[in-house]
Structure formats: C-alpha cells, structure tokens
Amino acid sequence: MRILIVNPFGDTEVYGQENLGRVARPDTEFDVVNIADVYPLRNNQWLYFRHMCTDGTLEKVMWAEKQGYDAVFISCSLDIGLHEARQLVDIPVTATLESAALVAHMMGSTYSLVTVDRQNGNIQEMLLRNYGLHDHFVSQRPFGIDANDLYPDRTPPGEVIEAVVEAARLCVSEDGAEVVVPGCTLAGSVLTHDVPEVESVIGAPVLDGMVTGFKIAEMMADMHAAGIPAVSRRGWFEKPPEQDFHKLRSFLNRPT
C-alpha cells in the first residue's frame, strides 16, 4: 500500500513522519509532501490563507492518483480541500479533523478541541457542522500559540506541550470532554512524540488527528481494494462535467 501525505502549507510537521512510521502497517509505504512551491507560509490558520492553500493541495491529490498511490491523507486540522478532492479522484482521501471527530464519536459521548486561537477554532467548528459531527462537541479552548510558532525553531516543544496540556485539562475538568482533539497537527505531533501517556496527564484520551487520519486512509484503501468505492458519486461528490473540467485545465495550462 502507498499513501501520500499532503501538508497543505509551506513546511512539514515536526515529528510527523517519525510518529506515522511507528504506527504504519508493515506493508504500508508513505511519502510526505508540502505545497511550498506554490504557498510560502508555514501556517494556514486564517480564512484567506486556507483558501489560497486549496489549489496547491488539490494538485498534489490529483498527482497522487496518477502516480498510483492507493490513498491520500491531507494532514492539517483545517481539512484543506478535502471535499473538493473527493470530487476529483477515485482513490480515498482523508483529512485530520474529520477523521479525529469520527473516531471521537466512537470513543466517547463528548469531545473538545484545543486550538491555536479562537478564530481558527471557529473555522473547525464550521467544518464539524458541515460534517454533521457537531452534536457531541462541547468546547474549544485556545492554547494561545500561533501556528507559525509551533515549530521547534520558534518555540521549544516543552512550552508547546505545557500550553496544550493546560487547555486540554480544562476541556476535561470544566467542559466535560471525554475525548480531546488537538486542533493543529503541529501541536498533536509534538504531544504524540513526547507525551506517550497523555491520558494519565489530562484525564482523558487525546486523539492525534494526524495518526487517526493516516490509519483511516489505510482502512479506506483496503476497502477500495475490496471493491468498495471511496465515495458515492450520486450527489455531493459527483465529479464535475468532463468537458468543463478539461476546458478549465487547458485554460490554466495544467495537465488534464
């Protein structure tokens, strides 16, 4: 099995490849790419930035299908281009927030997000409502470190862990969360790497959305290989008209 992991920003998550290497199946190979060739920033936490990341992300997803990958995992808690990608390719595409929220629903009756800031958390809440996964959501608590500053060259991992753990504990003790989801893959990857017994630290399981989305990509690739389509083409994920798609790609001088 081959899975492409797309970081929809201009860098890659610290410890991400190492963390996924520990949980990948022996028969799974994966590659990690980003969109630094078309998007220079190391973060995408604002609505305009999220919009500007989408095109480059979709190009990577379409490229992955042509290169024979079995699935794509979009590694970002804003799920950049997830639904658009599912309209365009026939291989499974997963993303961070949707995957974590789906699993959180199976693990407990309530869950919370710890986010970089309130506006970023509001975007994720919007996505959860769109997914139909907001009913069990009880709170978001910002941990107050900008996504640009979550890299080790800007903030020591210990400081990131302290801030995330403090916010997560409040989600459990004051908001009633039974599961906590880090609302940024950069924060989740540091926590997974350095705090293996995190449940005992905050009092509830913490779902690293990067690990969760990757493992669901493996599962969806297995289902696809067994003859189950990655999505239904009957409605929401119907492919664009082929003639219009080719006209647009030709206009943009991109491969069809």
Side-chain angles (χ1 to χ4, degrees), residues 39 41 43-54:
Y39 181 84
L41 304 179
N43 76 323
N44 55 16
Q45 69 201 70
W46 306 93
L47 282 168
Y48 175 61
F49 294 175
R50 179 174 180 262
H51 172 76
M52 294 303 293
C53 287
T54 301

Side-chain angles (χ1 to χ4, degrees), residues 11-33:
D11 210 323
T12 54
E13 295 103 342
V14 59
Y15 304 137
Q17 186 147 358
E18 181 181 345
N19 290 344
L20 296 183
R22 291 202 302 267
V23 302
R25 294 182 346 198
D27 64 335
T28 298
E29 299 177 2
F30 65 90
D31 298 304
V32 182
V33 299

